[in-house]
Amino acid sequence: MIHSTAIVDKSAKLGTNVEIGPYSIIGADVEIGDGTVIGPHVVVKGPTTLGKNNRIFQFSSVGEDCQDKKYAGEPTRLVIGDNNIIRECVTIHRGTVQDQGLTQIGDDNLLMAYVHVAHDCMVGDHVILANNTSLAGHVHVGDWAILGGFTGVHQFCHIGAHAFTAVNSVVVQDVPPYVMAQGHNAVPRTINSEGLKRRGFTSEQILNIKRAFKLLYRQGLTVTEAVSQMQELNAAELGPLIEFVQQSRRGIIR
C-alpha cells in the first residue's frame, strides 16, 4: 500500500506487499524488496537497494549523499539486506569512490533511534546499534556486535564479531572479536561471555576465549607473542580473533 501523500519515483522498483507511509519520498534508482514497510516522513534516495521484510520508522534518511567534502556526485550505492529494523531519525549514507563506492548493511540488524551510518561502512548480520551510535566513514562492524548508546566510532575502525561496547564509548582503534570495551577512549575490559552463551558457544569455547584475552591483554606480551601463544591453543573459535588481530591496520585497543 502506498499512501496518497507519498512520492515514489517512476524508476523505483517495489516488491510485493511493500508499504509506503504518508509523506515519504522514494527516489530514483531505489529498489525495495517484498514485505518492507516504510513509515511516514521517510526519505530513501538511490541508488539504494533494500531487501525483504525491513521496517523503517519515521523521519529516517536512507541512501543520502555522504558528508564528505571529497564527494563530487559520483554514482555510489547503498545495499541493505533483509529483516532489518531501522528506527526513528536514523541516517545512512551511500559510499564514496575513495573506497568501494558502497555502504552495506546485512540482515537481521537493529538500528535504534538517531543512529548514523556513514559512507563506506560495512555492517554485518545480527548487529545492534543502540540509540545515538555514530559510525564514521569506512567503519566495519562484524556479526553479532552490540554497540551501546552514544558509542562513537572513528573512521576506518573495525569492530569484531560478538564484540560489545558500553554506553558513551569512543572507539579510536580496532575492537577485536569477543571483547567488551568501555571508555573514552575505549579500552578492553573483559570478554562478552554472556553474549557468547546466548549464541550457543560451549563452556570450553568460552574458556579458550578467556585464555586468549588474558594472553592479549593481561600478561604483558606483545601482540605478536600473544598471537603465537593463541595459535598454540589450537582452538577453532580463536581463528577469527587471531585473523582480526593480524590484519588490524589501525591497531587494536589496548
Side-chain angles (χ1 to χ4, degrees), residues 17-250:
N17 300 316
V18 169
E19 297 182 22
I20 310 293
Y23 302 103
S24 287
I25 300 174
I26 310 300
D29 299 317
V30 171
E31 184 174 346
I32 300 177
D34 299 348
T36 289
V37 177
I38 308 293
H41 297 280
V42 172
V43 176
V44 183
K45 183 177 179 180
T48 290
T49 300
L50 291 167
K52 298 178 180 179
N53 302 315
N54 295 292
R55 186 174 181 190
I56 303 179
F57 284 72
Q58 56 267 26
F59 307 114
S60 292
S61 176
V62 177
E64 186 53 84
D65 296 352
C66 65
Q67 299 176 127
D68 188 328
K69 292 177 71 174
K70 297 187 298 298
Y71 181 70
E74 301 93 346
T76 60
R77 297 181 297 142
L78 168 65
V79 175
I80 297 177
D82 303 332
N83 306 308
N84 295 288
I85 298 174
I86 298 172
R87 295 294 312 217
E88 300 86 347
C89 302
V90 168
T91 54
I92 307 173
H93 292 167
R94 302 191 321 279
T96 65
V97 294
Q98 284 74 34
D99 201 320
Q100 300 181 59
L102 172 67
T103 301
Q104 187 164 358
I105 295 175
D107 303 331
D108 300 292
N109 299 297
L110 170 59
L111 280 61
M112 297 186 189
Y114 292 95
V115 162
H116 175 61
V117 179
H119 59 88
D120 304 293
C121 285
M122 297 286 166
V123 178
D125 302 331
H126 306 286
V127 170
I128 297 175
L129 304 180
N131 300 71
N132 293 280
T133 290
S134 290
L135 307 183
H138 314 279
V139 167
H140 290 203
V141 181
D143 297 346
W144 297 101
I146 298 175
L147 304 190
F150 293 90
T151 292
V153 185
H154 191 280
Q155 61 185 358
F156 293 102
C157 285
H158 288 199
I159 310 292
H162 304 281
F164 187 105
T165 65
V167 64
N168 282 328
S169 294
V170 177
V171 178
V172 298
Q173 290 183 290
D174 295 344
V175 179
Y178 313 126
V179 168
M180 295 187 72
Q182 180 268 335
H184 185 339
N185 298 330
V187 295
R189 296 299 186 185
T190 184
I191 69 164
N192 185 16
S193 55
E194 185 59 36
L196 297 177
K197 290 176 186 176
R198 293 177 182 179
R199 292 161 206 151
F201 282 71
T202 67
S203 297
E204 181 179 359
Q205 289 173 320
I206 294 173
L207 180 59
N208 284 331
I209 293 168
K210 287 181 178 178
R211 289 170 176 160
F213 180 87
K214 290 179 179 178
L215 290 171
L216 198 56
Y217 289 119
R218 298 291 184 260
Q219 296 188 6
L221 302 174
T222 67
V223 172
T224 300
E225 291 169 340
V227 166
S228 178
Q229 293 194 32
M230 281 191 277
Q231 290 170 331
E232 292 176 4
L233 294 174
N234 197 30
E237 57 275 11
L238 299 186
L241 174 58
I242 292 169
E243 181 180 8
F244 184 97
V245 171
Q246 290 177 324
Q247 295 182 356
S248 174
R249 297 177 63 184
R250 289 191 59 83

